[in-house]
Amino acid sequence: MTFRRSLLLVLTLQFPALLWSQATQPVDLIVTGGTVVTMNGTRAVYEDGAIVVKGDTIVAVGSRNELEAKYVASQTVDARGKLLLPGFINGHTHVPMTLFRGLHDDVTLNDWLYKYIFPAEAKNVNEEFVRWGTRLAAAEQIRGGVTTFADMYYFEDAVAEETKSAGMRGVLGETFIDFPAPDNKSEAEMLGYTEKFLNKWQGDPLIHAAVAPHSIYTCSQKTLQDAAALARKYHAPILIHTAEMKKEWDDSEKQNGMSPVQYLDKIGVLGPDVVSAHCIYVDEADQKTLAQRQVGCVHNPSSNMMLASGVAPVAAMRTAGVAVGLGTDGPAGSNNDLDLMEEMDLAAKLAKITKMDPLALNAKAVVEMATIEGARALHMEKEIGSLEAGKKADFIIISLDEPNAVPMYDLYAQLAYALKGSDVKTVVIGGRVVMRDRKLLTVKEEEVMAKAREYKKTIAASLGLQ
């Protein structure tokens, strides 16, 4: 027997518990064997990697051999031949609007809102509508690898309950708007409802309750400032549409003598707790202000293209130091789906054709916008957006076994331009497997789709479309 083997035998006999604890620390979940795309500070990639999870938190990320030697799990997932990524972040949407999908398309944003959607909402939106729409959206988003989304709608407490039931992470904003809404008919009611909503979800591990003044064109200065004050009383995020159409810019210049961004800054709304959706009409001065105030912006390429609203200067904003994420916008009229992988593809191509420069926004940049930069835009980069020890265990497993997935020379290009939402096989949120091998585990998918078909009939009838 060699000296080394003799020493190991002695140590094993005298200190068995010590050696065992060092060799195999108990954890809840280990995912092994895949290519781990961390999106951490160095953008490290582990070709034969592993992710170790305890509770809702990542314990370790690294090479498979090293981590399998250190940890033993009650549950393991074999990810050989697949990609492991942080879950995608949908930075701006209105999830209950899944039930209005395709209701009226091919119109301007102003007409779509005032002639079609606001009337349809007035006639159809109630708490039950919101619950079923959120369930449908949860199923769609999980299937596409979205683990966190930011929402602005009505009855947001119901959105929160359904989001949590589906096991998703949400930044969920109750809408403030200067006309009677489906849930609250006055600003006083909005303030009361939203304060209860903020109180209820304080400290929840999945739900970040937020305040969502709709925009400068639907909210008075008082409403905007009251909404911001309430949010800051509870250290809650503020979600708002900002500079999303030319008419908004023109009206603000005429009425306020300045751009929408400068107006929001002047009245004290902008700050490091604000998430601004769209940010299309933002000049250099606006971009500088957004960066200085640490406002997160969310680019919605499908929506901006579908409504012909314009093209956000994404590359310039990123250069100016603004955190820019990606969003689908609402799944009705301004997009019609919740596929964030499609937004990655479109964001890169839209920037290229707008600038007539194939280098304007590359594949790696849009993957960042869907993950770590999206987390920064939501001011949640300490919790999510990359695969690192101490962050929440939100990640997805993507198959590379489809014709569109091979061959792969560059993983970022593959993610941005070739892979699809349907290639997502398994989704883990907060350490909980919510979809395994394309089977949803937290949403009754068939029941939800059947209910959506029922809603189509009642909504059409309410609008005289039958």
Side-chain angles (χ1 to χ4, degrees):
M1 183 181 291
T2 65
F3 173 76
R4 183 177 178 183
R5 289 181 64 191
S6 298
L7 179 61
L8 182 60
L9 179 61
V10 170
L11 288 172
T12 302
L13 291 172
Q14 294 188 8
F15 306 104
L18 176 61
L19 287 175
W20 174 257
S21 65
Q22 289 179 337
T24 55
Q25 298 175 36
V27 293
D28 298 315
L29 173 66
I30 300 178
V31 182
T32 68
T35 297
V36 180
V37 185
T38 67
M39 303 309 295
N40 66 8
T42 63
R43 304 296 186 260
V45 175
Y46 297 94
E47 292 292 345
D48 184 14
I51 303 172
V52 180
V53 177
K54 190 175 181 66
D56 68 349
T57 303
I58 296 172
V59 172
V61 179
S63 70
R64 178 180 60 83
N65 288 338
E66 178 186 341
L67 297 184
E68 283 184 341
K70 284 185 66 176
Y71 300 97
V72 61
S74 55
Q75 182 182 185
T76 61
V77 175
D78 185 347
R80 283 176 294 183
K82 298 178 176 63
L83 291 180
L84 280 73
L85 270 88
F88 296 133
I89 297 166
N90 186 355
H92 176 65
T93 188
H94 314 279
V95 292
M97 294 181 77
T98 49
L99 297 178
F100 291 135
R101 192 193 315 269
L103 175 64
H104 207 290
D105 297 317
D106 305 327
V107 294
T108 66
L109 173 59
N110 202 63
D111 282 353
W112 179 73
L113 285 172
Y114 287 97
K115 292 183 180 179
Y116 303 107
I117 287 301
F118 288 156
E121 288 176 333
K123 292 179 179 178
N124 293 282
V125 174
N126 55 31
E127 185 173 317
E128 193 70 4
F129 174 102
V130 164
R131 288 188 182 279
W132 284 105
T134 303
R135 290 168 191 163
L136 182 60
E140 184 178 352
Q141 290 193 101
I142 290 170
R143 283 200 168 280
V146 171
T147 56
T148 297
F149 69 97
D151 187 69
M152 300 171 65
Y153 209 63
Y154 311 109
F155 297 102
E156 203 67 29
D157 185 55
V159 175
E161 289 181 352
E162 297 301 332
T163 299
K164 188 173 178 67
S165 176
M168 294 192 75
R169 198 176 304 281
V171 181
L172 310 177
E174 170 64 22
T175 296
F176 277 60
I177 203 161
D178 276 348
F179 51 78
D183 54 353
N184 298 300
K185 306 305 179 186
S186 67
E187 189 190 352
E189 287 183 31
M190 290 176 203
L191 285 166
Y193 178 97
T194 308
E195 186 153 21
K196 289 179 183 176
F197 171 59
L198 296 175
N199 261 313
K200 175 178 175 179
W201 295 99
Q202 287 275 301
D204 190 89
L206 287 174
I207 305 301
H208 295 249
V211 181
H214 181 273
S215 61
I216 68 168
Y217 59 86
T218 56
C219 293
S220 67
Q221 178 177 329
K222 181 180 186 303
T223 300
L224 292 166
Q225 290 174 323
D226 287 350
L230 178 62
R232 284 163 182 158
K233 177 181 176 181
Y234 288 92
H235 306 287
I238 299 168
L239 312 182
I240 186 169
H241 299 93
T242 304
E244 66 174 321
M245 56 182 168
K246 183 67 162 53
K247 185 178 188 303
E248 178 185 350
W249 169 282
D250 291 342
D251 289 349
S252 184
E253 288 284 349
K254 187 182 299 182
Q255 296 163 15
N256 307 313
M258 61 191 72
S259 72
V261 167
Q262 300 306 328
Y263 170 68
L264 287 169
D265 191 42
K266 179 185 176 182
I267 66 174
V269 172
L270 298 188
D273 48 3
V274 173
V275 182
S276 281
H278 299 290
C279 298
I280 298 171
Y281 294 94
V282 290
D283 59 19
E284 285 188 26
D286 291 338
Q287 294 165 31
K288 184 178 180 181
T289 297
L290 291 167
Q292 288 176 337
R293 299 292 183 236
Q294 300 175 57
V295 173
C297 290
V298 181
H299 179 40
N300 301 269
S302 284
S303 173
N304 300 344
M305 293 166 70
M306 190 164 181
L307 293 166
S309 295
V311 182
V314 174
M317 285 195 286
R318 282 167 56 93
T319 299
V322 180
V324 184
L326 277 177
T328 61
D329 206 352
S334 58
N335 187 328
N336 294 15
D337 67 37
L338 296 166
D339 187 345
L340 205 72
M341 293 191 79
E342 185 176 89
E343 302 303 322
M344 285 195 288
D345 180 271
L346 288 174
K349 292 173 181 174
L350 181 59
K352 295 173 194 296
I353 192 62
T354 304
K355 294 292 185 181
M356 293 302 291
D357 178 5
L359 307 180
L361 195 65
N362 64 27
K364 188 175 183 180
V366 294
V367 175
E368 289 171 342
M369 291 167 66
T371 56
I372 186 60
E373 286 300 310
R376 289 197 178 102
L378 295 186
H379 314 293
M380 293 179 67
E381 70 272 19
K382 292 182 180 178
E383 291 182 56
I384 59 173
S386 60
L387 302 178
E388 301 181 69
K391 287 198 173 184
K392 297 301 181 185
D394 295 5
F395 55 88
I396 61 178
I397 301 175
I398 299 179
S399 171
L400 297 175
D401 292 330
E402 301 298 331
N404 61 290
V406 295
M408 182 171 72
Y409 298 101
D410 180 282
L411 64 88
Y412 295 111
Q414 205 82 343
L415 284 163
Y417 306 131
L419 295 170
K420 308 300 178 187
S422 57
D423 295 320
V424 176
K425 296 301 180 187
T426 296
V427 177
V428 177
I429 306 175
R432 179 187 183 190
V433 180
V434 298
M435 182 173 77
R436 180 183 285 112
D437 296 326
R438 297 296 294 169
K439 180 176 174 55
L440 290 174
L441 304 178
T442 58
V443 181
K444 296 177 181 177
E445 191 173 22
E446 291 184 6
E447 177 186 13
V448 171
M449 290 193 295
K451 192 70 175 181
R453 293 185 181 103
E454 289 179 22
Y455 266 107
K456 184 261 180 183
K457 296 175 184 177
T458 58
I459 292 166
S462 76
L463 299 172
L465 300 177
Q466 287 186 331

